[in-house]
Amino acid sequence: MTDQDGSRGGFPKAATAFLHESSRSIDSTTSSSNTLRDEEIKGLEAWSSPRKEVLDAEEDDHLLAIPTTPPPVDGATPRLSFQDGKSRSPKKTKTKSKTASWSSLPRKGQLALLTASRLAEPLTQTSLQSYMFYQLKSFDPSQSDSAISTQAGMLAAAFTLAQFVTAILWGRAADSERCGRKMVLLIGLTGTMISAIGFGFSKSYASVVFWRCLGGALNGNVGVMRTMISEIIKEKKFQSRAFMLLPMTFNIGVIIGPILGGVLSDPINQHPGIFGPDSLLGGKEGIWWMRNWPYALPNLVSACFLFSAATGLFLGLEETHEILKHRPDRGRQIGAWILRTILRRRDRQEYAQLASDDTDAPTNAPNDIEMQTAKEANEQKLRGRKKLPVSRIWTKRVVITLLAHATLAFHVGTFNNLWFIFLSTPRFDPEHPSPPTHHHQSLPFSFTGGLALPPARIGLALSILGSLGIIIQLFIYPKWTAIFGLVRSYRYSIMLFPLAYFLVPYLSLLPSSTAPPKAADGIVVWLGIAFVLLIQVMARTFALPATNILVNNNCPHPSILGTFHGIAQSISSLSRTIGPAVAGWLYGRGLVWGVVGTGFWGLGVAALVNNFAGCFVRDSDGHEILLEGEVRQVDEEEEDGGKR
């Protein structure tokens, strides 16, 4: 071998030279230093061969030619060696979690069924808000406006009080093997449908209170829906989108419901050419049941929406309970048969879902002995899992989270009721002041009167609230949460509530194009309404999905997730029971005192308490308490999210 040949050999020759020299130096220590120096020179000449020759070398030979370092000593930080002779430590790269897009959400069909069911409920609730003041007035026209305001607050409190009593029971029923999540949702939709029909055909204040109590007692759906979303969407990167579906659906209901109620209420007087005497559909005297029950039509339409939602759930929704989801579902079997036989469509969900672990058996597995035995063994294993007692859930983190959740529900839920009362309240008329001793308006606090809007315009004003919420949720909320994270976006958003509540009463002082007692109108009035609602809706749009995620993630153990959401809904219902009752009473007293802002400014104080509690809220992984035999799994993304 010549120097020229060695130079052309590139890396293969160099590697051979080094390996050969290493073995010679170990086996023969008696070789002369001159011979060793000559061989080293040959190796260095091979290293200095042209780069083109180096790139042509075989991959395996190239790896042999790279100098290596000995393994690190225990406890030492590993270092990388480079050809320049320098030793460097590897840099830690922090992976930034990307915000999931709407199109990347998994299980869209199941989420669509849940959101459609959620839409039917706010549609019913917000529909009656647009005419409730006038329906209560029809029971006893001699009542004062302050008395009706108090009745409206008590009526709203009746629904949430019944929810408070039964929400935990529905949560436990959703966690039980005898009932499950899906059955609770079906009962809730059916109960709401029956109560809506009864409310529409009521002729007294006592009867509407009864039907609202019945609807609240049979409805524990919000907590169960949140539980199912958390079980369908397990990855945190999808949670901000998935949990935003329920508030977004509420905003859609806020858009449609008030318009529906405002247009369809008292149809004979609003649309005499269609339903009145000698009309298209009314005949000689008008439609008799519309004449006797003028507020029944919007409730019947709402009942149709609720029935459609319940039917869709029965035929298509999958059970997410860890034991019941493995059992046959008669409703989904009927739904699959309708798709195949009547609609001539292939049901993609007819096939079994991939098992999440080795023990999970497919839902529609073949009915043979081996698969049946595996399925029974899996159910037996799930039944044997330990369940956290309810008495152990009250950790410091849970108490703080539920306190923040309760205070948020107090003022947000109350605002929706107080807002439509304020819109319905007659304007201040100097010629006929109410109260009689209040002859002139005085800033900054001694002024009274509402906007005196009729049901149709109240529906429009409430629809503005929902429309703004949809726009903010689609275009602003995802970027906001991506920048600030879950906890900080929650804290920043709730700071806007006190400002919105402080400004609302001053809408009655804006210049109107119409004189009292006519309804307030004009560009300035509607711009003022839009501005105040923009602040309130922006705060609500950011705060509600965040608090739902925080409640879900701070559940101390997965075995009681449904029960925990039931507890959260029960606490929320208690807040929304006390809130409208207290704020309605304050608002009524304010009309007597000549200070219309008392109710809204009271909400501002509650919002400040919510801000204080929000300072101590933290994110978690939904598994704070470990039972015997469980091991905590640390997720870097979750750990980082909790710090934010």
Side-chain angles (χ1 to χ4, degrees):
M1 178 185 298
T2 62
D3 290 347
Q4 184 178 0
D5 294 334
S7 177
R8 290 177 182 174
F11 265 141
K13 300 297 183 180
T16 304
F18 274 109
L19 292 175
H20 182 60
E21 179 53 35
S22 299
S23 62
R24 288 184 57 190
S25 61
I26 295 174
D27 296 337
S28 179
T29 57
T30 59
S31 299
S32 62
S33 59
N34 294 332
T35 303
L36 180 59
R37 186 175 296 109
D38 292 339
E39 294 295 336
E40 288 177 344
I41 292 173
K42 288 182 180 180
L44 292 174
E45 290 176 349
W47 274 115
S48 62
S49 59
R51 184 171 178 78
K52 180 178 179 182
E53 300 290 343
V54 174
L55 294 175
D56 292 336
E58 294 293 330
E59 183 179 358
D60 293 338
D61 293 332
H62 171 72
L63 293 175
L64 286 173
I66 296 177
T68 60
T69 56
V73 183
D74 293 342
T77 302
R79 307 177 71 83
L80 300 179
S81 298
F82 296 87
Q83 291 187 6
D84 58 4
K86 296 180 180 180
S87 181
R88 303 170 189 169
S89 299
K91 294 182 179 180
K92 294 183 179 180
T93 58
K94 187 177 179 180
T95 58
K96 199 171 184 179
S97 58
K98 296 182 178 180
T99 303
S101 61
W102 289 110
S103 59
S104 64
L105 275 177
R107 310 302 304 279
K108 296 182 183 64
Q110 295 297 300
L111 293 175
L113 288 172
L114 287 175
T115 52
S117 303
R118 179 63 181 135
L119 172 63
E121 294 184 10
L123 195 87
T124 304
Q125 308 301 333
T126 57
S127 171
L128 61 89
Q129 286 179 352
S130 62
Y131 58 81
M132 182 185 292
F133 186 91
Y134 299 96
Q135 184 176 9
L136 295 177
K137 189 83 171 178
S138 67
F139 296 153
D140 186 2
S142 63
Q143 290 191 105
S144 64
D145 295 335
S146 61
I148 293 177
S149 299
T150 303
Q151 282 188 351
M154 297 300 294
L155 188 60
F159 180 85
T160 52
L161 178 62
Q163 272 192 330
F164 163 72
V165 174
T166 61
I168 297 178
L169 299 178
W170 289 123
R172 294 184 70 85
D175 279 339
S176 70
E177 299 176 24
R178 296 183 178 181
C179 195
R181 328 294 199 206
K182 184 174 179 178
M183 181 61 68
V184 171
L185 292 183
L186 291 174
I187 294 173
L189 290 174
T190 305
T192 306
M193 179 183 67
I194 295 172
S195 67
I197 296 174
F199 187 93
F201 286 92
S202 296
K203 298 288 288 185
S204 66
Y205 180 69
S207 62
V208 293
V209 170
F210 168 78
W211 290 113
R212 290 296 286 164
C213 287
L214 179 65
L218 296 178
N219 193 321
N221 285 9
V222 175
V224 178
M225 287 179 180
R226 292 170 184 164
T227 302
M228 295 190 75
I229 287 178
S230 68
E231 291 171 335
I232 294 172
I233 307 297
K234 296 183 179 296
E235 295 183 64
K236 277 200 169 185
K237 66 178 181 179
F238 296 118
Q239 283 187 345
S240 63
R241 298 278 187 180
F243 276 94
M244 193 167 61
L245 289 173
L246 297 185
M248 183 183 295
T249 306
F250 177 83
N251 282 326
I252 296 175
V254 168
I255 296 173
I256 302 174
I259 296 177
L260 194 69
V263 172
L264 299 180
S265 62
D266 197 7
I268 291 181
N269 291 326
Q270 287 204 79
H271 313 287
I274 301 176
F275 305 105
D278 299 321
S279 63
L280 179 64
L281 301 177
K284 185 177 180 180
E285 297 180 355
I287 299 178
W288 70 272
W289 63 270
M290 290 184 179
R291 189 174 62 252
N292 291 300
W293 297 282
Y295 300 98
L297 182 58
N299 286 278
L300 289 175
V301 174
S302 297
C304 292
F305 279 107
L306 290 164
F307 178 78
S308 301
T311 303
L313 283 191
F314 176 72
L315 297 177
L317 186 66
E318 297 177 7
E319 175 63 66
T320 60
H321 190 281
E322 60 180 359
I323 295 178
L324 299 181
K325 67 182 179 181
H326 299 288
R327 298 179 182 176
D329 189 329
R330 182 58 58 87
R332 297 196 69 239
Q333 290 173 353
I334 296 174
W337 178 85
I338 292 174
L339 286 177
R340 290 193 310 266
T341 308
I342 301 178
L343 301 179
R344 301 293 181 181
R345 290 177 56 188
R346 181 180 178 184
D347 181 18
R348 295 182 180 179
Q349 295 186 359
E350 180 181 0
Y351 298 96
Q353 180 183 354
L354 292 176
S356 58
D357 53 51
D358 296 334
T359 62
D360 285 342
T363 305
N364 298 322
N367 188 18
D368 56 29
I369 298 177
E370 293 182 359
M371 295 301 294
Q372 189 68 21
T373 303
K375 182 178 177 181
E376 293 175 356
N378 180 55
E379 289 192 11
Q380 190 66 28
K381 177 182 176 181
L382 292 173
R383 287 195 191 96
R385 289 182 181 177
K386 294 185 177 181
K387 199 169 184 178
L388 183 71
V390 178
S391 58
R392 289 187 57 190
I393 72 171
W394 305 105
T395 64
K396 179 181 178 181
R397 179 171 292 179
V398 166
V399 171
I400 291 174
T401 303
L402 292 180
L403 176 62
H405 181 62
T407 52
L408 179 67
F410 182 93
H411 61 79
V412 171
T414 304
F415 174 82
N416 294 330
N417 294 280
L418 208 59
W419 174 247
F420 80 85
I421 298 176
F422 172 72
L423 297 178
S424 306
T425 302
R427 297 173 63 188
F428 173 75
D429 187 357
E431 297 181 0
H432 303 88
S434 177
T437 57
H438 189 86
H439 297 286
H440 63 278
Q441 308 280 61
S442 177
L443 291 174
F445 305 118
S446 183
F447 60 93
T448 187
L451 299 182
L453 298 182
R457 292 191 183 180
I458 291 175
L460 177 61
L462 293 176
S463 297
I464 292 175
L465 187 147
S467 301
L468 291 173
I470 291 292
I471 295 172
I472 293 171
Q473 283 173 328
L474 289 177
F475 300 106
I476 301 178
Y477 175 78
K479 294 180 181 179
W480 177 284
T481 53
I483 294 173
F484 296 107
L486 176 64
V487 176
R488 282 194 293 174
S489 64
Y490 169 76
R491 291 173 181 167
Y492 294 159
S493 63
I494 59 179
M495 293 179 182
L496 298 174
F497 285 115
L499 175 62
Y501 299 149
F502 177 77
L503 293 177
V504 169
Y506 293 94
L507 293 176
S508 63
L509 300 178
L510 294 178
S512 172
S513 60
T514 59
K518 292 183 179 179
D521 202 0
I523 185 68
V524 177
V525 172
W526 288 100
L527 283 178
I529 290 174
F531 177 73
V532 171
L533 288 181
L534 177 63
I535 300 174
Q536 201 273 345
V537 172
M538 181 176 291
R540 189 190 70 187
T541 301
F542 294 159
L544 289 182
T547 192
N548 292 338
I549 297 174
L550 289 170
V551 167
N552 181 79
N553 293 349
N554 279 282
C555 176
H557 196 271
S559 63
I560 58 164
L561 184 60
T563 302
F564 188 72
H565 276 292
I567 293 173
Q569 185 180 357
S570 180
I571 293 174
S572 172
S573 299
L574 179 61
S575 298
R576 289 184 289 116
T577 299
I578 300 173
V582 173
W585 178 82
L586 278 176
Y587 185 83
R589 298 309 302 168
L591 293 178
V592 174
W593 299 331
V595 183
V596 73
T598 52
F600 289 102
W601 297 332
L603 291 186
V605 174
L608 291 176
V609 176
N610 182 207
N611 276 265
F612 177 75
C615 295
F616 303 97
V617 171
R618 297 290 185 273
D619 196 8
S620 186
D621 60 355
H623 206 147
E624 181 184 357
I625 298 177
L626 296 178
L627 299 178
E628 185 179 356
E630 294 180 338
V631 179
R632 184 176 304 281
Q633 297 179 354
V634 180
D635 188 350
E636 293 181 0
E637 182 179 348
E638 293 178 358
E639 196 176 54
D640 180 64
K643 293 177 182 178
R644 290 187 297 177

